[in-house]
Amino acid sequence: MAINLVNPSGLPKIDVYRQVSIATGSKLVFVAGQVAWDAEGTTVGEGDLAAQVEQCYLNIGTALAGAGGSFADVAKLTFYVVDWTPDKMPRLLEGISRASAKLGITPIPPATLLGVAALDVPDHLVEIEATAILD
């Protein structure tokens, strides 16, 4: 496997992700920020952060499969959440959990969460991008 996820001593251990991703593969995969669109471009889960996070993860899974990879190859995730406040964390984690169950994964790569004023269209509450490394 091209990715080794670790929590070095001296850094806090976070349940939902690891602090460091060590990549040894030779093929870089950059997945564009995925929003809550289905295959036809219709927004899924309008007004529902958990449903939109779930759809973003499913879209990332589809994109990675198209490149010959999976979530096991993800070195880093970046989340962009409209009007982020910490009280939204349970809904975000619920969406991750639901998508993880559907995909059969435990997604724990390093992650960055950024609060933003807006995304591409008003219906989108979250956008997630991924970087993966394949052997």
Side-chain angles (χ1 to χ4, degrees):
M1 186 176 316
I3 303 294
N4 183 21
L5 303 173
V6 298
N7 274 325
S9 62
L11 293 177
K13 292 187 178 16
I14 308 297
D15 290 338
V16 295
Y17 67 88
R18 299 298 180 261
Q19 295 283 3
V20 176
S21 175
I22 303 166
T24 58
S26 59
K27 182 177 178 182
L28 299 175
V29 179
F30 299 94
V31 178
Q34 295 299 302
V35 293
W37 277 331
D38 63 14
E40 287 75 42
T42 302
T43 298
V44 172
E46 189 172 334
D48 183 343
L49 180 61
Q52 289 201 13
V53 169
E54 178 181 0
Q55 185 64 43
C56 291
Y57 263 73
L58 296 175
N59 291 348
I60 290 169
T62 299
L64 292 167
S70 71
F71 265 92
D73 303 304
V74 173
K76 174 96 169 38
L77 293 171
T78 303
F79 294 74
Y80 302 91
V81 183
V82 174
D83 297 325
W84 174 257
T85 54
D87 63 309
K88 293 181 180 180
M89 185 62 82
R91 298 290 293 153
L92 185 130
L93 294 175
E94 178 186 338
I96 293 171
S97 178
R98 291 186 340 210
S100 297
K102 285 183 179 178
L103 295 167
I105 61 168
T106 303
I108 56 171
T112 298
L113 189 153
L114 301 166
V116 296
L119 292 170
D120 59 334
V121 297
D123 292 343
H124 292 158
L125 304 175
V126 61
E127 182 170 328
I128 305 171
E129 63 183 19
T131 301
I133 313 295
L134 305 178
D135 284 327

